[in-house]
Amino acid sequence: MEDLLKIEDLYVEYRVGGTVAKAINGVDLTIGKGEALGLVGESGAGKTTTALSVLNLLPEKIGFITKGKITFDGRSVLDMSDKEMSGIRGSKISMVFQNPLTSLNPVFTVGHQVEMVLEHHKHLNKKEARAEAVKLFAMVGIPEYRLNDYPHQFSGGMRQRVGIAAALACSPELLIADEPTTALDVTIQAQILEMMKDLQKQYSTSLLMITHNLGIIAELCQKVAIMYGGKIVEYGTVEEVFNHPKHWYTIGLINAIPKLKGERERLESIPGLVANSQDLPGGCSFHPRCRYCTEQCMNEIPATEEVAEGHYVACWNRRT
Amino acid sequence: MLQKIIRRALATVVVLIGVSIIAFLLVRLAPGDPAKLMLPDTATEETIQAMREKMGTDKPLFIQYLTYMKNVLKGDLGTSYHYNRSCSQLIFSRLPSTAKLAGFGMLLSLCFSIPLGMIAGIKKGSFIDTLSMFFAMIGQSMSHVWLGLMLILIFAVNLKWLPSMGTGTFKHMIMPAIVIGFQFSALATRMVRSGMIDVLQEDYITATRAKGISKFKVYTKYAFKNALLPVVTVVGSQVGAMMSGSMVIETVFSWPGIGSLTTQAIYNRDYQLIQSILLISATIFVVCNLLVDILYTFIDPRISFN
C-alpha cells in the first residue's frame, strides 16, 4: 500500500513560561492510502498534539516541533508555506474535533461553517456553496431548513454531524478524527461511528482515529498504534495487537475493558498516573507503573523491535 | 421577536418615570428659591409670593409633579425662567451640536481602539501590546479637563493649528472630539484586546484554521465578531452618556451643546430647564441602551430578550 502520511522521529515541546512539556518524543507513524489507523492512549499521551502537528497548527509561540519530519503525499508538511498549508488544511487533510460544543463558532450559522470550507477551497459562490452544503447536511442527516440555525440550537450529536459535514466537504484524502465521540452519549456515539464508517468507505478516505476507546478502534480501523508518554509503544494490525499484545501498557489497557463472558470480577486497572510530560521518567516512560520493570527499563529508552510481521513493540521486557 | 422588543421598550418607560421623579425631586431639594432669583433683591414678600404662584412653586410637590408630567406628555417641557423660552426649544437647539460631537468622538475612538486592541490581542506580549496597555492605563486615568487644556495649549496656543473654542468648522470639532473619545478609546482598546485573547484560545478558532481559512480572515472575521460582543455593550452606554453631553468638555471648549446648557442652567438655578435636561438626557441614554440590546441579538444569536 502506498503511504499517504508519514511521520518520522517527531518531537514536540510546549513551552509556557519557564516550563517545558515534552509532549511528543520520537513518534514514527505511517498511514497508507485508504487505511484507517487508530491512535490510542490516555489523556496527555500526545494524541491531539500529533494530530495538530500534521496540520501544522500547534498553538503559536507555545507548541514547537523540535525535530522530525512529516510527509503528506510525498511533500514535507513542515516546509510548506502558509499559503500552501492553507490549501491543504480542510481540503486534503481535514479534522473533526473532540468537543462539538466548543468547536463551532457560536456567532455564525452552521450552514456558513460548512459553506466557508467550500467557498475557500472549491471557490464556489454563495449560492453554489449553499447548494453543496445542503447535500452534505443531508448526508449527515440534517434537514435543509436547519442550515440557518446557530450552533446553540443544536444538540451535541447534531453539532458533531456539522463538524463531520465540514470535514468531508472537500472529500479529504486524510480525515483526522480527534476523539469525535468522547463528548457524546453512547447511542449518539454509535450513530456517529456508523456514519463515519460508511462515509470513509464511500470516499475511500484515509482515517486517523484518535480515541481512548479500544472498541471504536476494533470497529473502524485496520491498524492500531498505542501511545504512551509521547511515544508509540506498540503498533500493528488491530487483529494482531488486540489478540497478541506484547507491551505491558497495551495489555493493561485491554484488561481494563469489562468482559461480557466469564466470571464477574473486579475490573483491572493500570496503577499510578499517566506520565507527566513536564517531568518524564527516564528510560521507558511507563516503567514506574509497570509490574515487569527491570533495571534496564529505568535507564534505557526501549528500542522498537518487530516481533511479528508488521507488529512493532518498544519494551525491554515484553510479554513472550 | 417584535413582541420581546415591545416588552423591553415598556420596561424602558418604567425607568423613565422613575427618572422623571428623581429629576423633579433632586432639583427641588437644592437650596434656593427660584422665585426670589427671578426678582430683584428689593422685591417685597408679596411680589415674591405672586411670582411663586405664577411659577406654581407654592403648590405641594405632588401636584407640581403631576402638572409637570401632564405637560411633558403633551410635549411641553415648560418654560425656562432664565431664558424665558420654552425648554424643549432650548434643548433641541443644542442637541445637534452635542450629537455631532458625540458621533465624531465615538467614531474616532472606535477607528483607533478596535485595530489597536486587535493587534495587541493577536500579538500578545509584543511591543505594540505593551504600548497599547500603557495607553489604556494613561487614557483611563487622565482627566478630561487636563487633557482638554493641554490640547488647547499645544495645538491652539503654541502651534496655532486649531481653534481653541467655538463651533462651525470641522477644525473646531477635532480637539473636543479627541477629548470626549479619549477615555473610551482606552477602555475599548483594553476590551477588544482581552476579547481577542480569549477568543483566539477557543477550539472553534483552531477548527476554523484547520479548515484552511487564512489567519488574516480568521482574525478579522471569525474571531472579530466574537471579540466585538463586550465592546458593543460599553459602546451603548458610552454613546448614551456622550449624547447627553459632557459638561466639562463642552465648557472647556465653549461648545454650544447640552453639556454647556446644563452648566448654565445650574448656575442660574433654572429648575425647569435642569429637570427637562435631566429627563431628555435620561431618555437618550435609555433609548441608546435599548438600541444596543436589540443590536446585540443580531450580533450574538445566543442572546435573546429573556
Side-chain angles (χ1 to χ4, degrees):
Chain A
M1 196 167 9
E2 210 181 325
D3 291 345
L4 180 67
L5 177 77
K6 201 172 169 73
I7 301 174
E8 290 164 274
D9 203 23
L10 184 71
Y11 284 79
V12 176
E13 283 179 13
Y14 288 112
R15 296 176 200 151
V16 181
T19 55
V20 176
K22 293 183 168 29
I24 302 213
N25 307 295
V27 161
D28 291 280
L29 211 56
T30 308
I31 300 179
K33 283 192 173 155
E35 188 179 63
L37 171 79
L39 190 56
V40 190
E42 283 166 280
S43 306
K47 304 179 306 268
T48 303
T49 304
T50 309
L52 290 176
S53 305
V54 172
L55 285 168
N56 205 352
L57 269 185
L58 290 168
E60 265 174 74
K61 292 180 200 145
I62 296 174
F64 298 91
I65 295 176
T66 50
K67 198 179 154 196
K69 213 175 143 192
I70 298 173
T71 321
F72 176 77
D73 214 5
R75 297 170 64 209
S76 168
V77 169
L78 303 177
D79 296 329
M80 280 185 205
S81 67
D82 270 357
K83 210 178 161 193
E84 280 176 285
M85 208 54 232
S86 270
I88 286 182
R89 287 182 198 131
S91 72
K92 291 195 169 154
I93 309 177
S94 63
M95 184 158 169
V96 177
F97 284 77
Q98 179 169 357
N99 191 345
L101 302 181
T102 57
S103 55
L104 293 177
N105 196 325
V107 298
F108 289 90
T109 63
V110 291
H112 180 79
Q113 312 208 27
V114 172
E115 284 156 21
M116 68 188 189
V117 188
L118 296 163
E119 283 168 26
H120 180 70
H121 292 294
K122 292 189 174 175
H123 308 290
L124 302 182
N125 62 34
K126 286 214 175 332
K127 219 174 147 189
E128 293 163 338
R130 174 49 60 113
E132 195 65 27
V134 169
K135 281 186 214 160
L136 285 161
F137 275 98
M139 189 176 77
V140 296
I142 300 176
E144 187 180 348
Y145 74 92
R146 300 219 56 183
L147 260 71
N148 285 326
D149 283 351
Y150 288 90
H152 71 280
Q153 293 164 299
F154 278 61
S155 67
M158 289 292 266
R159 287 191 217 187
Q160 198 56 297
R161 285 165 194 260
V162 176
I164 292 170
L168 292 174
C170 297
S171 328
E173 289 169 39
L174 174 65
L175 178 65
I176 302 173
D178 184 4
E179 305 194 32
T181 57
T182 304
L184 306 174
D185 63 62
V186 187
T187 42
I188 306 300
Q189 271 188 23
Q191 285 176 20
I192 296 278
L193 288 175
E194 201 57 41
M195 195 176 78
M196 288 191 62
K197 199 173 172 182
D198 289 348
L199 294 172
Q200 194 225 338
K201 268 189 198 144
Q202 198 180 326
Y203 289 92
S204 65
T205 301
S206 302
L207 177 68
L208 175 59
M209 184 71 180
I210 297 172
T211 180
H212 46 235
N213 184 333
L214 296 176
I216 292 176
I217 302 280
E219 186 75 16
L220 277 179
C221 305
Q222 292 99 48
K223 297 270 180 64
V224 60
I226 313 286
M227 205 164 182
Y228 189 85
K231 271 180 83 77
I232 306 289
V233 294
E234 188 157 8
Y235 170 85
T237 62
V238 171
E239 236 166 63
E240 171 73 19
V241 172
F242 282 14
N243 292 331
H244 310 287
K246 298 288 182 209
H247 196 284
W248 294 106
Y249 180 61
T250 316
I251 296 164
L253 285 180
I254 291 172
N255 285 339
I257 303 172
K259 291 169 189 68
L260 292 174
K261 290 177 199 158
E263 259 181 77
R264 274 192 209 185
E265 47 199 296
R266 216 182 141 74
L267 210 54
E268 261 186 66
S269 65
I270 304 172
L273 291 174
V274 75
N276 177 3
S277 58
Q278 286 174 20
D279 184 21
L280 279 179
C284 168
S285 43
F286 186 61
H287 88 253
R289 303 173 71 183
C290 186
R291 248 182 286 181
Y292 304 90
C293 170
T294 65
E295 190 78 19
Q296 193 180 22
C297 298
M298 290 186 223
N299 299 317
E300 288 173 56
I301 294 173
T304 304
E305 286 173 78
E306 187 166 11
V307 291
E309 206 200 330
H311 185 177
Y312 297 87
V313 180
C315 179
W316 290 127
N317 192 19
R318 62 171 183 261
R319 179 153 86 177
T320 43
Chain B
M1 181 71 182
L2 190 68
Q3 207 184 354
K4 282 171 180 167
I5 293 176
I6 292 171
R7 209 181 300 157
R8 179 72 175 71
L10 285 177
T12 304
V13 173
V14 177
V15 172
L16 286 178
I17 292 174
V19 167
S20 72
I21 295 175
I22 293 171
F24 182 85
L25 288 179
L26 271 184
V27 172
R28 272 153 186 82
L29 280 175
D33 184 342
K36 276 189 192 160
L37 274 174
M38 294 291 291
L39 298 164
D41 288 345
T42 53
T44 60
E45 189 55 37
E46 276 168 33
T47 337
I48 295 173
Q49 186 58 33
M51 191 49 144
R52 283 195 189 121
E53 275 167 34
K54 190 185 160 208
M55 293 166 74
T57 49
D58 58 330
K59 298 202 182 68
L61 281 180
F62 182 64
I63 303 292
Q64 285 187 45
Y65 176 72
L66 283 187
T67 321
Y68 175 61
M69 280 316 282
K70 204 170 77 189
N71 290 333
V72 166
L73 289 179
K74 280 192 261 174
D76 174 14
L77 292 174
T79 312
S80 152
Y81 308 139
H82 182 79
Y83 295 94
N84 218 356
R85 278 172 69 192
S86 94
C87 290
S88 46
Q89 223 175 31
L90 277 168
I91 295 171
F92 287 103
S93 69
R94 297 292 192 100
L95 209 52
S97 299
T98 292
K100 208 160 73 177
L101 189 60
F104 186 58
M106 182 54 85
L107 193 73
L108 211 62
S109 64
L110 286 179
C111 287
F112 178 75
S113 59
I114 290 180
L116 182 63
M118 277 181 72
I119 295 170
I122 293 166
K123 304 227 174 271
K124 187 182 153 197
S126 67
F127 175 68
I128 286 202
D129 183 29
T130 314
L131 203 69
S132 80
M133 284 304 94
F134 181 69
F135 161 74
M137 191 186 70
I138 297 283
Q140 284 192 286
S141 40
M142 201 189 299
S143 115
H144 278 156
V145 189
W146 188 82
L147 180 65
L149 293 177
M150 280 303 128
L151 286 181
I152 291 177
L153 191 66
I154 296 168
F155 294 103
V157 178
N158 288 336
L159 295 171
K160 296 192 174 26
W161 286 353
L162 297 165
S164 68
M165 56 183 287
T167 170
T169 65
F170 179 70
K171 270 187 169 180
H172 285 98
M173 203 153 63
I174 296 176
M175 282 197 294
I178 289 177
V179 179
I180 211 170
F182 200 72
Q183 226 163 46
F184 177 67
S185 312
L187 177 69
T189 305
R190 199 188 277 277
M191 296 198 76
V192 173
R193 174 185 177 268
S194 63
M196 207 65 189
I197 290 173
D198 285 349
V199 171
L200 287 180
Q201 287 168 351
E202 292 285 346
D203 280 352
Y204 55 79
I205 293 301
T206 314
T208 311
R209 294 271 285 128
K211 286 173 182 169
I213 311 294
S214 70
K215 259 188 208 170
F216 183 75
K217 201 168 178 189
V218 167
Y219 293 150
T220 53
K221 186 173 179 185
Y222 295 105
F224 179 61
K225 206 173 165 190
N226 285 285
L228 201 62
L229 290 171
V231 183
V232 174
T233 322
V234 278
V235 167
S237 56
Q238 285 292 318
V239 163
M242 285 183 187
M243 284 294 285
S244 43
S246 162
M247 289 166 60
V248 173
I249 295 166
E250 291 187 4
T251 306
V252 169
F253 290 96
S254 310
W255 187 263
I258 300 282
S260 51
L261 185 67
T262 316
T263 318
Q264 286 156 17
I266 292 171
Y267 283 144
N268 300 328
R269 200 153 281 132
D270 199 341
Y271 275 18
Q272 203 67 38
L273 186 56
I274 298 173
Q275 117 192 6
S276 300
I277 291 173
L278 283 177
L279 191 62
I280 296 288
S281 303
T283 311
I284 293 171
F285 192 90
V286 173
V287 169
C288 283
N289 275 317
L290 176 65
L291 289 179
V292 167
D293 280 359
I294 295 170
L295 185 68
Y296 220 91
T297 58
F298 287 103
I299 302 182
D300 190 345
R302 286 167 298 181
I303 291 170
S304 58
F305 296 106
N306 281 328

mmCIF file of all heavy atoms in Angstrom, chain A residues 85-107:
data_model
loop_
_atom_site.group_PDB
_atom_site.id
_atom_site.type_symbol
_atom_site.label_atom_id
_atom_site.label_comp_id
_atom_site.label_asym_id
_atom_site.label_seq_id
_atom_site.Cartn_x
_atom_site.Cartn_y
_atom_site.Cartn_z
ATOM 1 N N MET A 85 -0.048 25.494 2.926
ATOM 2 C CA MET A 85 -0.660 24.778 4.038
ATOM 3 C C MET A 85 -2.160 25.059 4.105
ATOM 4 O O MET A 85 -2.971 24.164 4.324
ATOM 5 C CB MET A 85 0.032 25.235 5.329
ATOM 6 C CG MET A 85 0.059 24.226 6.436
ATOM 7 S SD MET A 85 0.729 22.646 5.989
ATOM 8 C CE MET A 85 -0.558 21.570 6.556
ATOM 9 N N SER A 86 -2.514 26.328 3.858
ATOM 10 C CA SER A 86 -3.924 26.711 3.857
ATOM 11 C C SER A 86 -4.696 25.950 2.790
ATOM 12 O O SER A 86 -5.870 25.657 2.956
ATOM 13 C CB SER A 86 -4.069 28.206 3.571
ATOM 14 O OG SER A 86 -4.049 28.913 4.765
ATOM 15 N N GLY A 87 -4.006 25.679 1.687
ATOM 16 C CA GLY A 87 -4.656 24.956 0.601
ATOM 17 C C GLY A 87 -4.908 23.499 0.947
ATOM 18 O O GLY A 87 -5.793 22.861 0.389
ATOM 19 N N ILE A 88 -4.107 22.967 1.859
ATOM 20 C CA ILE A 88 -4.242 21.556 2.219
ATOM 21 C C ILE A 88 -5.205 21.349 3.377
ATOM 22 O O ILE A 88 -6.035 20.448 3.361
ATOM 23 C CB ILE A 88 -2.842 20.975 2.551
ATOM 24 C CG1 ILE A 88 -2.078 20.809 1.249
ATOM 25 C CG2 ILE A 88 -2.969 19.645 3.270
ATOM 26 C CD1 ILE A 88 -0.712 20.216 1.426
ATOM 27 N N ARG A 89 -5.098 22.240 4.366
ATOM 28 C CA ARG A 89 -5.997 22.125 5.517
ATOM 29 C C ARG A 89 -7.447 22.258 5.077
ATOM 30 O O ARG A 89 -7.816 23.182 4.372
ATOM 31 C CB ARG A 89 -5.733 23.262 6.502
ATOM 32 C CG ARG A 89 -4.474 23.124 7.270
ATOM 33 C CD ARG A 89 -4.373 24.302 8.246
ATOM 34 N NE ARG A 89 -3.020 24.447 8.710
ATOM 35 C CZ ARG A 89 -2.350 25.603 8.731
ATOM 36 N NH1 ARG A 89 -2.913 26.699 8.301
ATOM 37 N NH2 ARG A 89 -1.123 25.637 9.190
ATOM 38 N N GLY A 90 -8.256 21.347 5.511
ATOM 39 C CA GLY A 90 -9.676 21.447 5.201
ATOM 40 C C GLY A 90 -10.042 20.877 3.852
ATOM 41 O O GLY A 90 -11.201 20.612 3.578
ATOM 42 N N SER A 91 -9.045 20.691 2.960
ATOM 43 C CA SER A 91 -9.383 20.069 1.684
ATOM 44 C C SER A 91 -8.755 18.680 1.581
ATOM 45 O O SER A 91 -9.448 17.691 1.425
ATOM 46 C CB SER A 91 -8.964 20.960 0.518
ATOM 47 O OG SER A 91 -7.570 20.961 0.376
ATOM 48 N N LYS A 92 -7.412 18.608 1.673
ATOM 49 C CA LYS A 92 -6.779 17.292 1.580
ATOM 50 C C LYS A 92 -6.678 16.605 2.932
ATOM 51 O O LYS A 92 -6.770 15.385 3.020
ATOM 52 C CB LYS A 92 -5.394 17.420 0.943
ATOM 53 C CG LYS A 92 -5.515 17.798 -0.522
ATOM 54 C CD LYS A 92 -4.234 17.588 -1.258
ATOM 55 C CE LYS A 92 -4.472 17.703 -2.758
ATOM 56 N NZ LYS A 92 -3.273 18.112 -3.466
ATOM 57 N N ILE A 93 -6.398 17.397 3.950
ATOM 58 C CA ILE A 93 -6.412 16.850 5.311
ATOM 59 C C ILE A 93 -7.462 17.637 6.077
ATOM 60 O O ILE A 93 -7.398 18.864 6.140
ATOM 61 C CB ILE A 93 -5.070 17.063 6.037
ATOM 62 C CG1 ILE A 93 -3.910 16.573 5.194
ATOM 63 C CG2 ILE A 93 -5.088 16.371 7.388
ATOM 64 C CD1 ILE A 93 -2.549 16.806 5.814
ATOM 65 N N SER A 94 -8.417 16.971 6.642
ATOM 66 C CA SER A 94 -9.354 17.720 7.476
ATOM 67 C C SER A 94 -9.518 17.020 8.803
ATOM 68 O O SER A 94 -9.125 15.871 8.974
ATOM 69 C CB SER A 94 -10.685 17.921 6.769
ATOM 70 O OG SER A 94 -11.275 16.684 6.534
ATOM 71 N N MET A 95 -10.092 17.753 9.724
ATOM 72 C CA MET A 95 -10.098 17.263 11.089
ATOM 73 C C MET A 95 -11.470 17.432 11.729
ATOM 74 O O MET A 95 -12.134 18.449 11.552
ATOM 75 C CB MET A 95 -9.043 18.046 11.879
ATOM 76 C CG MET A 95 -8.874 17.582 13.304
ATOM 77 S SD MET A 95 -7.239 18.094 13.908
ATOM 78 C CE MET A 95 -7.418 17.755 15.636
ATOM 79 N N VAL A 96 -11.876 16.410 12.460
ATOM 80 C CA VAL A 96 -13.088 16.509 13.276
ATOM 81 C C VAL A 96 -12.605 16.658 14.709
ATOM 82 O O VAL A 96 -11.777 15.871 15.167
ATOM 83 C CB VAL A 96 -13.958 15.247 13.145
ATOM 84 C CG1 VAL A 96 -15.168 15.332 14.057
ATOM 85 C CG2 VAL A 96 -14.381 15.049 11.705
ATOM 86 N N PHE A 97 -13.124 17.664 15.403
ATOM 87 C CA PHE A 97 -12.593 17.958 16.728
ATOM 88 C C PHE A 97 -13.327 17.215 17.831
ATOM 89 O O PHE A 97 -14.442 16.746 17.672
ATOM 90 C CB PHE A 97 -12.615 19.465 16.989
ATOM 91 C CG PHE A 97 -11.519 20.174 16.254
ATOM 92 C CD1 PHE A 97 -11.635 20.416 14.898
ATOM 93 C CD2 PHE A 97 -10.356 20.542 16.893
ATOM 94 C CE1 PHE A 97 -10.622 21.030 14.201
ATOM 95 C CE2 PHE A 97 -9.330 21.170 16.208
ATOM 96 C CZ PHE A 97 -9.470 21.410 14.863
ATOM 97 N N GLN A 98 -12.629 17.176 18.953
ATOM 98 C CA GLN A 98 -13.093 16.388 20.090
ATOM 99 C C GLN A 98 -14.414 16.879 20.669
ATOM 100 O O GLN A 98 -15.324 16.102 20.892
ATOM 101 C CB GLN A 98 -12.013 16.456 21.170
ATOM 102 C CG GLN A 98 -12.357 15.699 22.416
ATOM 103 C CD GLN A 98 -11.147 15.595 23.324
ATOM 104 O OE1 GLN A 98 -10.057 16.048 22.989
ATOM 105 N NE2 GLN A 98 -11.328 14.992 24.464
ATOM 106 N N ASN A 99 -14.498 18.182 20.891
ATOM 107 C CA ASN A 99 -15.667 18.676 21.603
ATOM 108 C C ASN A 99 -16.564 19.492 20.680
ATOM 109 O O ASN A 99 -16.277 20.643 20.387
ATOM 110 C CB ASN A 99 -15.217 19.524 22.788
ATOM 111 C CG ASN A 99 -16.366 19.839 23.710
ATOM 112 O OD1 ASN A 99 -17.531 19.664 23.345
ATOM 113 N ND2 ASN A 99 -16.051 20.311 24.893
ATOM 114 N N PRO A 100 -17.664 18.885 20.235
ATOM 115 C CA PRO A 100 -18.530 19.612 19.294
ATOM 116 C C PRO A 100 -19.173 20.846 19.927
ATOM 117 O O PRO A 100 -19.639 21.733 19.236
ATOM 118 C CB PRO A 100 -19.593 18.582 18.917
ATOM 119 C CG PRO A 100 -19.613 17.604 20.027
ATOM 120 C CD PRO A 100 -18.215 17.570 20.584
ATOM 121 N N LEU A 101 -19.167 20.910 21.255
ATOM 122 C CA LEU A 101 -19.784 22.064 21.904
ATOM 123 C C LEU A 101 -18.914 23.298 21.808
ATOM 124 O O LEU A 101 -19.386 24.415 21.931
ATOM 125 C CB LEU A 101 -20.077 21.757 23.382
ATOM 126 C CG LEU A 101 -20.987 20.563 23.642
ATOM 127 C CD1 LEU A 101 -21.215 20.377 25.128
ATOM 128 C CD2 LEU A 101 -22.309 20.710 22.927
ATOM 129 N N THR A 102 -17.610 23.106 21.620
ATOM 130 C CA THR A 102 -16.734 24.275 21.560
ATOM 131 C C THR A 102 -16.066 24.445 20.199
ATOM 132 O O THR A 102 -15.378 25.425 19.984
ATOM 133 C CB THR A 102 -15.612 24.194 22.622
ATOM 134 O OG1 THR A 102 -14.892 22.980 22.400
ATOM 135 C CG2 THR A 102 -16.173 24.186 24.018
ATOM 136 N N SER A 103 -16.260 23.494 19.296
ATOM 137 C CA SER A 103 -15.507 23.609 18.049
ATOM 138 C C SER A 103 -16.303 24.248 16.915
ATOM 139 O O SER A 103 -15.817 24.326 15.793
ATOM 140 C CB SER A 103 -14.951 22.248 17.628
ATOM 141 O OG SER A 103 -15.980 21.310 17.533
ATOM 142 N N LEU A 104 -17.511 24.724 17.222
ATOM 143 C CA LEU A 104 -18.244 25.502 16.216
ATOM 144 C C LEU A 104 -18.337 26.946 16.704
ATOM 145 O O LEU A 104 -18.560 27.203 17.884
ATOM 146 C CB LEU A 104 -19.661 24.944 16.019
ATOM 147 C CG LEU A 104 -19.763 23.555 15.397
ATOM 148 C CD1 LEU A 104 -21.216 23.114 15.348
ATOM 149 C CD2 LEU A 104 -19.182 23.537 14.001
ATOM 150 N N ASN A 105 -18.173 27.859 15.767
ATOM 151 C CA ASN A 105 -18.208 29.274 16.110
ATOM 152 C C ASN A 105 -19.634 29.691 16.452
ATOM 153 O O ASN A 105 -20.529 29.572 15.628
ATOM 154 C CB ASN A 105 -17.682 30.084 14.921
ATOM 155 C CG ASN A 105 -17.318 31.489 15.299
ATOM 156 O OD1 ASN A 105 -17.976 32.095 16.145
ATOM 157 N ND2 ASN A 105 -16.281 32.014 14.693
ATOM 158 N N PRO A 106 -19.853 30.195 17.683
ATOM 159 C CA PRO A 106 -21.226 30.434 18.145
ATOM 160 C C PRO A 106 -21.972 31.548 17.413
ATOM 161 O O PRO A 106 -23.186 31.605 17.483
ATOM 162 C CB PRO A 106 -21.043 30.799 19.621
ATOM 163 C CG PRO A 106 -19.642 31.264 19.726
ATOM 164 C CD PRO A 106 -18.865 30.480 18.729
ATOM 165 N N VAL A 107 -21.260 32.430 16.727
ATOM 166 C CA VAL A 107 -21.955 33.553 16.113
ATOM 167 C C VAL A 107 -22.098 33.428 14.591
ATOM 168 O O VAL A 107 -22.440 34.391 13.921
ATOM 169 C CB VAL A 107 -21.312 34.909 16.481
ATOM 170 C CG1 VAL A 107 -21.389 35.135 17.985
ATOM 171 C CG2 VAL A 107 -19.888 34.990 16.013
#
